[in-house]
Amino acid sequence: MLSVDLLLLVCLGYVAVLFALAFYIDRRARQGRINWLRSPIVFTLSISVYCTSWTFYGAVGSAARNGLEFITIYLGPTLVFVGWWWLLRKLVRVGRVHRITSIADLISSRYGKSSSLAVVVTLLAVTATTPYIALQLQSVTRSYQVIVGEADANTTALTIAAGMALFTILFGTRNLDANERHHGVVAAIAVEAIVKLVALIAVGVFAVFWLGGGVRSVFESVPVAAVHGGAQMFDGRWAALTFLSATAIICLPRQFQVTVVENVDERHLGTASWMFPLYLFGMCLFVMPIALVGLAVLPAGSNPDLFVLTLPLHHGRHELALLAFLGGFSSATSMVIVAAIAVSTMVSNHIVMPVALNFLSSGREVSGDVRKLVLTSRRVSIGLVLGLGFLYFRLSGGSDALAAIGLIAFVGVAQFLPSLLGAIFWRGATGSGALAGLVVGFVLWAYTLFLPSFAGELAGGADLLAHGPLGLTALRPQALLGLTGLDPLVHALVCSLGANVLVFLVVSVASEPKPLERLQGALFVDVFRSTPGEPPRFVEGQATSEDLFVLAQRILGTDPARSLFDEMAREQGASGLPAPSDAVIARLERELTGSIGAASAHAMVSRIAGRERPALNELIDIADETQRLIETSRQLSEKSAELELAASQLRQANERLRTLDAQKDEFLSQVSHELRTPMTSIRSFSEILLGENGVSEQERHRFVAIIHDESLRLTRLLDEILDISRLEAGSVDLPLEPVDAQQVIDAALGTVSGLLRSRGVALRCTPLPAGTMVRANGDRLRQALINLLSNAVKYNAAPHPEIRVHAALGPAHLDIDVIDNGGGVTPEEATTVFEKFNRGRRGDRDQGAGLGLPISRAIMRTMSGDLTVEFAPDRTSFFRLRLARAVVATGTAAASTH
Amino acid sequence: MSAWWRHRRPRPPLDHRRIRDRALILPIVGLLLLMPPIAGAFQIDLRLAGVPFTAVYLFVVWAALIAGAAVLTPSLSALAEEPWRVDAPRAGEGSDAEV
């Protein structure tokens, strides 16, 4: 047997080390030298405050009774952490941006900084945490008793509770950290986390390899069913337990404290996402073997909840038993410390402080150092919470009913889940919905789970469980509305959380959010989208800077307040106190939030800064709902502008199509008209010839000649139509080659020379320099030239007709001008002469179909040249053919001869 | 497989959405493998080196989840690179741009 003195000595020594460590770290933190503390490993170890003595001792007990079911308690957190990106990261960011101090603060802050909501959450947290703390006291007391034999349970528990209260007060309320962070405490619980892990693994190794003779022999002696713990181990209870533990890792006040509030760097969450599950894995690895070895080795009737301790003790391994005791002690104390800090922060911020402030302000003026008041209230709250825990332990008489309290507490805090998720994912969630859901869930939890847990010890409790209140069987706590056949835990979970969610949803949908709720909702839900910095707020400001400074001084302390105001003044570029702008007031409120919670800070600042104006428009303006509306409407108007543009382009295209269609119709009717004239004369003359009567041979000859001529004209016309339509459609492939321009001109003049002579037209031609090459198709160019020349001859009515062909060389092109003295065209006619079937005022029907010029122009354009009407300075008009010169051809030809 | 999608135009910052969506894989796979309908199929009377198969199954899935998280975390953390360091100088707060 270990001596009491030795045990006490070790315990005290261990506690002293923790105190010293916390003290040392706190001092370094105040000097700003805690960079190594900001490691993800410390963060992860502090999260493992999840593993309480309920894990350390209780998991083995659970494994001995129910097989592998105990794993569910660790699988839920594993799932939440490997999916950290979706929930935990957002929680941590919200906590960071809004200086959240507790889960009650988060919920109240999100739902319009509502103080009633904060009070309800706080009460619920206290109710769920108190028995849990009692459980820790009990486990330490029992383990103490196991080692030293009988000892007064109450004295032991009281000593522990007092010691924990002292530690928590010393290091949990040393100063009012604006960020509500406790470096000393975090360091201490990180050390404790290592101690409990090492202790459990040491006992496990001892049990498996010393006592059990290896893994195989430990398991071989037990039936598989005992390990499964039931015929159907993956049932509703399995799912419910996993869900519960997943919820607990988010909603337990102490988990919220270490994960969200104490987090110093969001990225630590990433490391914790695998390291924390790994820690849990290590804690669980030996649980089942220890349970099996304990069942096999220890005398029948031993309490499996204490196997971790009794196994080494029974085999005389006192040093191992001592380590196991320290492990259990660490699990219990770290939970108690963190839970006390978390819950006392809530109690202080949301219950004690508002009452105290109310009391103070009903006096003359706000007087006294509020800062001192906050600290005192925090300390009193810690004493209160631990006192309640002890009281519960005392009243429940350390009964076995306490063992079940872990899961009961889990279901209790699970009631926070709907409001919490609604807070950060659903803008439509309202404070009334959250309040109603919480109250309903809380009441049902108390009735279906909490009450039955100790009802057996109350007068008439057993009767209530069996028959319901006043004999109303439909209201039996464990079979509400006749819902029987379920595991009591699953039943309570389904009833309380189901009703909670339902009421939360329905009331939220039915109620109208207050402006502040709407604003906070937008800020919380879109926390990743908003720019980091102060959440905006609006107050009608008659605040004087002096009042604000006095307030800050009282809550933050003189020096921090002075440096804060100095900094704000510097930012404004002012000396002395900063002007009480919205930004200053918002910043101040945010700083105060870190110390006294959102609701209180809001109330205090609003009271000094003036009546809050519920300016719906302004609030909605900043809630980025409006931003989004603006964005949407901007996109809409952009789209409609695009549509308009497309529509106008379509309209233009349509217009052009119509014009083209009209031109086509006109062309067709012109073509048919043109074709009709020769066809008519051919038909009438052939009809006369067919009549045979009285037509002389000479006449017959003449008629046949006319028919022949008309047929020729028809053929020529059809050829021309075909030609121009092909040219215009671009389906004629004109091979372009360097041709000698002068040769083409000469050939064209040769062709029309007969015509010129017969009409007595004089011709003047300026010769080009020899070897002037152009890129063209010789035949087609000649055709165009002949066309122009014959036009010039045919339509020339001058007494002394004269034609000049003048070729001029440009740098890259050649112009061939065909000039006649026949009167030319007016500027108005200059465009119409190129229309099809336009004969101009000088023409008559015998002299062509009016396709010559359009064909010529089409030819020139196909050869990348052009045909235009130009006007000389004396306003006489002439036609100009323009062609690209083939400069290269001559160059290369010259080069190749060398 | 020819993997036609590999030939798509490369998008330089390996799209955030794809990395982010990977964060969904683990919780969902874990949920499926550890919850009743599927997990029930692994509750069999079998022993691996003396250890009941179900126990081995649970711990193997668990270890796989941990390993998966350890593999995924670096890319996710790089996405969450916005430095919201608590004690960072306050004056610089405005410059911490959000993603």
Side-chain angles (χ1 to χ4, degrees):
Chain A
M1 189 60 59
L2 281 166
S3 76
V4 181
D5 293 339
L6 179 65
L7 187 63
L8 280 180
L9 196 69
V10 170
C11 265
L12 283 178
Y14 182 65
V15 171
V17 167
L18 290 184
F19 270 72
L21 178 74
F23 181 74
Y24 174 69
I25 295 296
D26 249 5
R27 216 180 59 178
R28 283 189 69 106
R30 255 173 304 151
Q31 293 164 352
R33 295 188 298 170
I34 47 156
N35 278 334
W36 62 272
L37 241 188
R38 290 215 191 115
S39 94
I41 298 179
V42 172
F43 178 64
T44 307
L45 288 175
S46 70
I47 297 175
S48 68
V49 70
Y50 180 72
C51 299
T52 64
S53 66
W54 185 50
T55 293
F56 194 82
Y57 296 121
V60 171
S62 166
R65 292 187 202 94
N66 303 325
L68 285 170
E69 187 190 272
F70 77 94
I71 279 192
T72 51
I73 302 303
Y74 310 97
L75 289 183
T78 299
L79 291 175
V80 171
F81 266 82
V82 296
W84 63 286
W85 184 263
W86 298 102
L87 175 60
L88 289 177
R89 194 175 65 103
K90 194 163 190 182
L91 266 185
V92 169
R93 173 63 66 88
V94 166
R96 176 81 39 258
V97 172
H98 296 273
R99 305 275 170 114
I100 297 301
T101 59
S102 66
I103 191 166
D105 194 30
L106 181 119
I107 290 178
S108 106
S109 176
R110 155 63 176 86
Y111 297 108
K113 310 192 178 178
S114 142
S115 39
S116 52
L117 206 46
V119 169
V120 168
V121 175
T122 303
L123 287 180
L124 185 44
V126 171
T127 316
T129 307
T130 304
Y132 211 155
I133 291 179
L135 174 66
Q136 308 303 316
L137 296 179
Q138 184 198 40
S139 78
V140 178
T141 311
R142 283 215 174 157
S143 57
Y144 184 75
Q145 283 172 332
V146 163
I147 292 187
V148 304
E150 280 314 302
D152 181 27
N154 286 338
T155 320
T156 318
L158 186 60
T159 316
I160 295 162
M164 287 307 100
L166 182 67
F167 184 91
T168 314
I169 287 171
L170 265 185
F171 297 106
T173 62
R174 260 187 102 70
N175 48 2
L176 270 183
D177 186 345
N179 297 312
E180 204 51 59
R181 246 172 231 102
H182 311 92
H183 300 290
V185 174
V186 167
I189 60 175
V191 168
E192 292 197 301
I194 296 172
V195 171
K196 63 193 181 197
L197 181 66
V198 168
L200 197 60
I201 288 180
V203 172
V205 169
F206 170 72
V208 171
F209 298 103
W210 250 263
L211 304 177
V215 178
R216 181 184 282 267
S217 64
V218 166
F219 280 97
E220 245 168 7
S221 53
V222 285
V224 172
V227 175
H228 287 176
Q232 194 42 264
M233 84 190 247
F234 298 104
D235 55 0
R237 187 174 155 89
W238 178 277
L241 285 177
T242 311
F243 172 76
L244 263 184
S245 61
T247 309
I249 200 72
I250 305 162
C251 295
L252 274 174
R254 66 171 191 278
Q255 292 309 133
F256 192 89
Q257 176 79 26
V258 288
T259 314
V260 177
V261 181
E262 306 276 359
N263 177 289
V264 289
D265 187 336
E266 256 175 54
R267 282 168 297 180
H268 290 175
L269 212 47
T271 311
S273 77
W274 59 271
M275 214 190 262
F276 177 60
L278 187 65
Y279 183 94
L280 296 179
F281 187 90
M283 287 296 276
C284 288
L285 201 54
F286 284 103
V287 165
M288 197 76 218
I290 294 176
L292 294 180
V293 171
L295 285 175
V297 173
L298 292 174
S302 307
N303 183 358
D305 279 336
L306 290 169
F307 276 177
V308 177
L309 200 56
T310 47
L311 261 181
L313 212 54
H314 191 75
H315 293 85
R317 302 301 295 264
H318 288 170
E319 74 293 341
L320 197 58
L322 203 58
L323 183 62
F325 176 79
L326 280 186
F329 184 76
S330 296
S331 326
T333 50
S334 57
M335 181 273 163
V336 171
I337 291 166
V338 180
I341 289 180
V343 176
S344 72
T345 305
M346 294 190 211
V347 171
S348 163
N349 282 353
H350 302 301
I351 296 181
V352 179
M353 280 300 293
V355 173
L357 285 175
N358 227 17
F359 175 73
L360 282 178
S361 67
S362 67
R364 297 172 289 126
E365 271 293 302
V366 183
S367 63
D369 193 348
V370 182
R371 180 180 149 76
K372 203 164 263 171
L373 177 71
V374 173
L375 281 179
T376 314
S377 107
R378 199 67 69 77
R379 285 170 186 155
V380 169
S381 304
I382 289 173
L384 210 67
V385 169
L386 285 173
L388 272 177
F390 175 71
L391 200 67
Y392 193 93
F393 169 75
R394 182 81 198 270
L395 290 181
S396 67
S399 75
D400 289 328
L402 264 186
I405 208 74
L407 285 176
I408 294 173
F410 278 18
V411 181
V413 295
Q415 306 306 326
F416 297 148
L417 191 69
S419 316
L420 191 70
L421 293 186
I424 59 174
F425 289 114
W426 184 31
R427 278 158 171 269
T430 68
S432 334
L435 191 63
L438 275 171
V439 169
V440 168
F442 184 34
V443 167
L444 279 175
W445 165 73
Y447 186 64
T448 60
L449 200 60
F450 195 38
L451 178 70
S453 76
F454 55 81
E457 291 156 36
L458 297 177
D463 193 46
L464 175 74
L465 288 190
H467 307 295
L470 308 173
L472 292 170
T473 47
L475 295 181
R476 276 176 298 164
Q478 290 177 318
L480 216 54
L481 304 177
L483 203 61
T484 53
L486 280 180
D487 181 88
L489 185 83
V490 178
H491 168 263
L493 178 67
V494 169
C495 283
S496 61
L497 203 59
N500 183 340
V501 169
L502 199 69
V503 170
F504 174 57
L505 291 180
V506 168
V507 175
S508 281
V509 170
S511 60
E512 182 76 17
K514 290 194 279 292
L516 192 56
E517 273 179 71
R518 202 179 289 221
L519 170 66
Q520 292 291 86
L523 290 175
F524 274 55
V525 173
D526 292 333
V527 68
F528 288 113
R529 235 171 294 163
S530 56
T531 41
E534 19 255 271
R537 54 158 290 147
F538 286 82
V539 272
E540 198 158 26
Q542 289 104 32
T544 64
S545 301
E546 286 77 17
D547 292 341
L548 291 174
F549 181 63
V550 169
L551 176 73
Q553 221 177 357
R554 284 191 181 138
I555 293 176
L556 301 172
T558 310
D559 289 341
R562 181 167 301 282
S563 63
L564 172 69
F565 273 69
D566 282 350
E567 191 191 321
M568 292 196 292
R570 261 202 310 282
E571 273 166 22
Q572 288 188 351
S575 59
L577 288 173
S581 64
D582 273 352
V584 164
I585 293 170
R587 169 84 179 273
L588 180 63
E589 184 179 324
R590 203 157 58 99
E591 297 290 337
L592 296 188
T593 297
S595 300
I596 55 173
S600 301
H602 182 67
M604 294 185 75
V605 173
S606 295
R607 190 158 54 203
I608 290 188
R611 188 170 43 84
E612 185 174 2
R613 181 172 44 166
L616 197 60
N617 290 339
E618 276 174 315
L619 289 176
I620 291 177
D621 271 350
I622 39 174
D624 59 355
E625 219 164 351
T626 317
Q627 284 295 338
R628 201 164 307 150
L629 273 179
I630 292 169
E631 176 66 11
T632 313
S633 77
R634 193 182 61 78
Q635 285 172 352
L636 272 181
S637 67
E638 247 172 33
K639 281 218 178 75
S640 80
E642 262 171 42
L643 278 178
E644 235 160 64
L645 186 67
S648 84
Q649 284 170 344
L650 268 179
R651 256 199 305 280
Q652 283 174 6
N654 197 23
E655 208 72 18
R656 274 187 47 213
L657 276 178
R658 274 173 201 281
T659 320
L660 287 176
D661 190 48
Q663 284 176 355
K664 185 203 71 185
D665 284 348
E666 201 186 348
F667 178 66
L668 278 179
S669 78
Q670 280 172 342
V671 165
S672 44
H673 177 74
E674 295 293 331
L675 293 180
R676 201 180 170 80
T677 328
M679 287 301 281
T680 312
S681 62
I682 290 173
R683 206 185 65 202
S684 47
F685 283 114
S686 35
E687 269 167 8
I688 294 171
L689 286 178
L690 282 175
E692 267 311 312
N693 300 327
V695 182
S696 67
E697 191 61 25
Q698 196 188 358
E699 273 178 327
R700 181 192 308 271
H701 191 263
R702 196 161 65 86
F703 290 166
V704 171
I706 291 174
I707 289 176
H708 182 248
D709 282 351
E710 291 296 312
S711 310
L712 283 182
R713 209 154 80 86
L714 203 54
T715 312
R716 199 173 60 240
L717 183 62
L718 285 174
D719 281 346
E720 285 180 349
I721 290 173
L722 215 58
D723 200 21
I724 192 164
S725 57
R726 274 198 295 179
L727 281 169
E728 285 192 341
S731 59
V732 182
D733 192 22
L734 286 183
L736 296 186
E737 56 203 4
V739 289
D740 190 324
Q742 191 58 50
Q743 279 178 13
V744 177
I745 295 173
D746 289 346
L749 289 174
T751 309
V752 293
S753 60
L755 188 63
L756 290 172
R757 254 200 310 281
S758 70
R759 297 282 181 104
V761 179
L763 176 73
R764 281 203 288 153
C765 184
T766 339
L768 276 167
T772 304
M773 308 297 276
V774 289
R775 281 189 64 74
N777 180 290
D779 290 345
R780 287 298 199 162
L781 179 57
R782 204 179 68 214
Q783 182 189 350
L785 263 174
I786 292 172
N787 214 324
L788 287 181
L789 289 169
S790 58
N791 272 0
V793 174
K794 279 191 258 178
Y795 301 127
N796 198 327
H800 301 290
E802 183 187 282
I803 294 177
R804 272 195 300 141
V805 176
H806 174 81
L809 264 177
H813 49 78
L814 170 72
D815 287 340
I816 305 172
D817 295 344
V818 178
I819 308 160
D820 69 275
N821 61 346
V825 294
T826 63
E828 291 77 43
E829 287 174 322
T831 50
T832 54
V833 288
F834 292 110
E835 283 174 8
K836 289 161 214 139
F837 305 108
N838 183 308
R839 291 194 188 83
R841 63 190 153 80
R842 293 192 289 166
D844 59 45
R845 89 159 274 287
D846 283 338
Q847 285 171 316
L851 285 173
L853 281 174
I855 288 178
S856 300
R857 168 178 267 197
I859 289 171
M860 294 309 293
R861 290 194 171 165
T862 311
M863 296 191 300
S864 316
D866 206 356
L867 168 62
T868 49
V869 174
E870 302 290 325
F871 291 91
D874 61 351
R875 303 191 56 78
T876 56
S877 70
F878 58 91
F879 287 96
R880 169 172 287 173
L881 289 166
R882 170 165 289 195
L883 274 172
R885 287 180 65 181
V887 189
V888 189
T890 52
T892 48
S896 61
T897 53
H898 286 291
Chain B
M1 214 174 74
S2 70
W4 55 270
W5 48 268
R6 279 186 205 283
H7 303 298
R8 281 189 307 185
R9 205 149 37 91
R11 274 178 281 182
L14 174 64
D15 21 336
H16 288 193
R17 183 137 38 86
R18 257 173 50 203
I19 297 178
R20 248 182 18 216
D21 290 349
R22 282 185 205 162
L24 266 184
I25 298 174
L26 287 181
I28 288 175
V29 167
L31 213 58
L32 287 177
L33 289 181
L34 297 172
M35 284 301 110
I38 293 177
F42 293 92
Q43 187 188 351
I44 43 181
D45 271 350
L46 197 79
R47 283 169 191 272
L48 290 177
V51 185
F53 177 77
T54 318
V56 176
Y57 170 75
L58 285 177
F59 277 95
V60 165
V61 172
W62 196 351
L65 286 178
I66 294 169
V71 169
L72 280 188
T73 294
S75 59
L76 282 173
S77 289
L79 267 195
E81 196 63 3
E82 320 97 281
W84 256 101
R85 283 189 166 275
V86 180
D87 303 313
R90 291 226 170 80
E93 257 181 14
S95 64
D96 293 347
E98 244 285 358
V99 170

